[in-house]
Amino acid sequence: MTFEESTRLESVPPSGIRKFFELAEEYDDIISLGVGEPDFAPPWSARDAAITSLERGRTSYTANRGMRELRERIAARTAGRCDLFYDPDSEVLVTTGVSEAVDLAYRAFLDPGDAVAIAQPCYVSYVPGARLAGAGVIDVPTREADDFKLTREVLEASGAAEAELLVICYPNNPTGATMTRAELEPVAEFAREHDLLVLSDEVYADLTYEGEHASIAALPGMRERTVVCNGFSKAYAMTGLRLGYAMAPPEAIEAMNRIHQYTMLSAPTTAQHAAVDALDNCDPDVAEMREEYDRRRKFLLSRFGDMGIECFRAAGAFYAFPECPWDDGEAFAEALLEAERVAVVPGNVFGAGGDGHLRVSYATSLPQLKRAMNRLESFLE
Amino acid sequence: MSSRDAVLEALRENARYSTEDIARMTDLDAEAVEAAIADLEEEGVIRGYRAVVDYSKVDPEPVRASVELNVTLDRETGYDDIADRLARFPEVQGLRLVSGDFDFAMEVRGDSMSEVSRFISEKVAPVPEITQTVTHYIMESYKESGVEFGDGHDDDRLSISP
C-alpha cells in the first residue's frame, strides 16, 4: 500500500512561489514586497457583523448558492458598477474564495483533452487548476510592449482559437495591468468568433486607479459566454475569510453549483455575514484603502523612474511589475533578499511572459515601502 | 481629489512626510506641493504640526483632565469672549463649544493632580460667566488624534504569498 500520486497530480509541479517563501522565511528582518494580500484588516463594521453572527449562533450551513441577502447585494453591486444584471436566484453562486469559483468552472465545463487558453503572467493557480481538471493549457503570454494587456495579436499567435475556455484577470496579479472597455473589445470579438467561453477573474476590480473598471461580460454577445468571478479578499481585505462568487447564465451556475453542493456544500457562513455588511456599510473603507494604495503606487513608480528601473504604469491591483535590472530574475530576487533583506517575487513564477520582471507588491505601508526602495537603490549602486 | 486635498490628506496622516515624498505619492512636483502647503498654512487650514504623544510613556507623566463647563451669557459677553479668555491659559490644551448638557469641553494638562485642580478652582471657576465645572481626570488613553495606542495590527501575513 503506497500513496502513489495520481497522474493528474503529477502534472502539477509545486508552486514556484513556495521556494521564495522558504528563502524569505530564513530571515526575520526582511521587508517583504512579496505579499499577495492587503496589509489592512477588514473594515471593522464587517468584522463586527461576523462577531455578532457568531454571538447569535448563526453558524449553520447556508443555501448551497449562499445566503439570499448576500446574492441580492452582489447582483446589485455588479449592476451598479458594470451595467451587468444577474438574477440573484439563478445567476449568482457564492464560493469559498475566487479560487473555488475558478476550480468549479474548470471542472464544470472542461473534458479531458479540452484546452484552456490562459492569459499570462497570471495568478499561480489558473494553470495547475486546469491540469487538475484534466485539460491542456495554451499559454497566452501578454507583452510589456502592450503594458501587459491582452491583445488579439497574442491570442492569435498563441493558438488560443483552439481552446474551449479563455481565462483572463484584469486588474491583473502579478502585473497590475488593467483593461478598458475599448481594449477588451478585440478580446471579446476573438472569443465570439472562435466560440470560446470566458472566465474573467475580476477580484481586483475595486482597486482600479486610472479610469473605470470594465467587465468583458458587459460587451455585446459576451454575457452568455462568460463566467465573472469576484470576491471580498482584496477590496475588503478579507483574504482569510475565504469568500468569493461567480456570476454567469443560469445553466452555468446550475452546473457549477452541482459540484459545489457536493464538495463545499456552502461557503463559510460567518464570512457571508461579514460580506453582507461589507456591501452595505464598507464602501468608505474601501475608498480609503484604494486611495492609500494609489499613493503608494505613485510613490513606487516615481522611485523606479529615478532609479532607472523600467516599469510600465500599472493602474490596478496592488502590484507593479518592473523590468528586472539583471537578466536572471530569480538570481536578482535571491541576491536582493540576501544583501538588503528586501523580498520581491521573480516574474517567471507567474507563467509565460513574466520572465525578466519582478512582482513588487505595495500592500505594505509607505514608510516600509520607502525603506525598501532606499535599500533597493543602494543595492543597485 | 484636488492636489490641495491630496497634500492635506498626506500631512494629516503624517506631518513629517518630506515634500519630495508627498510629491511622489500625489503625482505633483515638489514646487506644487510647497505651494499647496504654503496656501493651506496661509489660509489657516493648517494651524500647526504637533507630535501625537503617548503620555503614559513620558516621565514624569503629566496629568490631563477633560473639563465640562457651563456658562451664562449676557448682552456684553458671548461664547467667543469666554473662549478667548480661557484659551489664553497655557494649561488649556483644547477648548470646544459643544452641544448637549454643557457648553464647553475643555482639555487641561498639568504636572500634577493638585496643579490641575488648583488651576480649575483658582483660574477657571472664578470667571464670572462660568456657572459650573465638572472635572474628569483622564485615566488611560487608547487613541489620540486618530492614532491607536494598542500594540497595533500585527502583520501576521505570510512573507511571500501568491
Side-chain angles (χ1 to χ4, degrees):
Chain A
M1 188 70 187
T2 53
F3 290 106
E4 201 174 315
E5 288 185 6
S6 68
T7 323
R8 270 185 192 186
L9 184 56
E10 279 176 346
S11 71
V12 175
S15 166
I17 217 159
R18 184 82 212 169
K19 178 180 153 197
F20 270 85
F21 172 67
E22 278 159 14
L23 270 178
E25 286 294 285
E26 287 172 22
Y27 308 101
D28 53 6
D29 54 349
I30 63 163
I31 301 177
S32 182
L33 308 183
V35 186
E37 62 176 319
D39 55 316
F40 300 102
W44 171 247
S45 176
R47 279 185 279 161
D48 188 51
I51 294 166
T52 305
S53 75
L54 288 171
E55 282 173 344
R56 292 182 181 163
R58 302 240 165 105
T59 53
S60 49
Y61 298 126
T62 69
N64 293 142
R65 289 165 188 242
M67 286 159 40
R68 190 167 198 286
E69 56 260 54
L70 176 57
R71 282 180 278 131
E72 276 168 10
R73 283 163 174 81
I74 288 168
R77 172 56 53 95
T78 307
R81 180 169 49 213
C82 299
D83 209 21
L84 259 176
F85 299 89
Y86 289 101
D87 174 19
D89 288 322
S90 62
E91 299 184 311
V92 178
L93 175 64
V94 179
T95 56
T96 304
V98 174
S99 294
E100 191 211 346
V102 172
D103 184 50
L104 293 176
Y106 282 159
R107 287 195 283 160
F109 309 120
L110 298 173
D111 282 315
D114 284 347
V116 185
I118 301 178
Q120 300 176 36
C122 67
Y123 186 60
V124 298
S125 78
Y126 299 157
V127 171
R131 297 234 169 87
L132 286 171
V137 171
I138 298 170
D139 295 333
V140 184
T142 57
R143 301 177 302 201
E144 189 180 22
D146 304 320
D147 286 354
F148 291 102
K149 295 171 194 288
L150 180 58
T151 63
R152 193 178 166 108
E153 200 185 333
V154 299
L155 281 165
E156 274 164 5
S158 58
E162 301 307 312
E164 300 296 316
L165 173 71
L166 170 66
V167 180
I168 64 173
C169 171
Y170 296 96
N172 183 264
N173 174 9
T175 64
T178 52
M179 286 184 74
T180 64
R181 193 182 158 96
E183 288 159 349
L184 286 167
E185 188 60 71
V187 177
E189 188 185 66
F190 183 88
R192 289 191 301 261
E193 269 172 34
H194 300 284
D195 200 23
L196 303 184
L197 297 179
V198 176
L199 192 162
S200 181
D201 178 352
E202 300 176 17
V203 73
Y204 291 99
D206 280 324
L207 303 181
T208 300
Y209 310 110
E210 295 177 13
E212 300 273 299
H213 172 74
S215 175
I216 194 167
L219 296 176
M222 292 307 294
R223 188 187 185 283
E224 59 260 42
R225 62 176 70 249
T226 304
V227 177
V228 175
C229 299
N230 203 329
F232 295 86
S233 292
K234 312 300 178 179
Y236 297 94
M238 281 167 42
T239 45
L241 291 178
R242 311 304 307 125
L243 205 66
Y245 51 91
M247 296 174 298
E251 64 277 18
I253 291 300
E254 159 62 30
M256 289 167 69
N257 187 37
R258 228 155 69 228
I259 304 172
H260 173 80
Q261 70 187 352
Y262 291 123
T263 55
M264 196 62 67
L265 214 162
S266 60
T269 303
T270 309
Q272 293 191 52
H273 284 284
V276 167
D277 185 273
L279 289 172
D280 280 348
N281 300 319
C282 300
D283 288 345
D285 302 78
V286 175
E288 212 170 286
M289 290 189 269
R290 179 170 46 234
E291 270 167 34
E292 178 61 24
Y293 289 131
D294 191 23
R295 291 197 295 163
R296 298 171 184 177
R297 175 181 74 103
K298 289 169 178 163
F299 177 82
L300 206 58
L301 293 174
S302 160
R303 288 295 300 264
F304 286 152
D306 289 357
M307 281 184 246
I309 295 175
E310 288 292 325
C311 186
F312 83 101
R313 200 172 165 83
F318 34 66
Y319 309 105
F321 204 60
E323 276 181 18
C324 182
W326 301 357
D327 287 339
D328 186 340
E330 289 207 18
F332 181 87
E334 280 176 38
L336 180 65
L337 182 61
E338 199 183 332
E340 298 289 342
R341 303 285 195 264
V342 173
V344 297
V345 183
N348 62 312
V349 311
F350 301 99
D355 223 4
H357 290 80
L358 302 168
R359 188 189 74 171
V360 180
S361 161
Y362 47 89
T364 296
S365 72
L366 264 166
Q368 283 287 80
L369 268 185
K370 183 172 177 174
R371 254 172 247 136
M373 288 302 109
N374 292 345
R375 292 184 191 183
L376 175 61
E377 195 164 20
S378 71
F379 180 70
L380 293 174
E381 282 159 9
Chain B
M1 200 191 305
S2 74
S3 56
R4 202 180 123 99
D5 289 346
V7 170
L8 182 59
E9 177 88 15
L11 287 173
R12 283 179 58 210
E13 180 186 286
N14 183 349
R16 292 202 64 191
Y17 280 141
S18 67
T19 304
E20 190 194 18
D21 285 348
I22 294 174
R24 289 183 196 283
M25 63 181 86
T26 54
D27 249 358
L28 298 167
D29 55 40
E31 292 75 40
V33 173
E34 290 285 9
I37 295 173
D39 283 351
L40 288 163
E41 288 175 353
E42 183 138 338
E43 290 165 25
V45 176
I46 293 179
R47 294 297 187 124
Y49 304 90
R50 292 286 186 279
V52 179
V53 176
D54 183 351
Y55 286 107
S56 71
K57 300 219 161 87
V58 173
D59 190 29
E61 182 181 348
V63 171
R64 292 184 302 154
S66 125
V67 186
E68 299 171 5
L69 301 177
N70 265 305
V71 301
T72 174
L73 304 179
D74 58 40
R75 279 203 197 89
E76 276 80 42
T77 320
Y79 286 124
D80 291 354
D81 301 304
I82 302 166
D84 187 51
R85 183 165 179 179
L86 292 170
R88 288 165 194 267
F89 290 109
E91 290 88 345
V92 174
Q93 295 293 306
L95 182 64
R96 298 177 176 106
L97 182 66
V98 296
S99 63
D101 290 340
F102 53 96
D103 298 310
F104 286 104
M106 181 169 79
E107 195 190 313
V108 176
R109 194 170 73 209
D111 291 339
S112 65
M113 215 181 248
S114 62
E115 186 190 300
V116 171
S117 303
R118 249 193 341 269
F119 171 70
I120 301 297
S121 60
E122 292 172 12
K123 303 286 187 189
V124 179
V127 173
E129 293 82 5
I130 293 177
T131 56
Q132 190 192 24
T133 69
V134 180
T135 303
H136 305 275
Y137 284 99
I138 292 172
M139 295 158 68
E140 183 82 57
S141 192
Y142 298 97
K143 191 174 185 179
E144 297 278 348
S145 300
V147 178
E148 282 183 57
F149 287 175
D151 295 337
H153 164 53
D154 288 334
D155 193 345
D156 49 8
R157 297 176 298 165
L158 302 175
S159 57
I160 304 275
S161 56

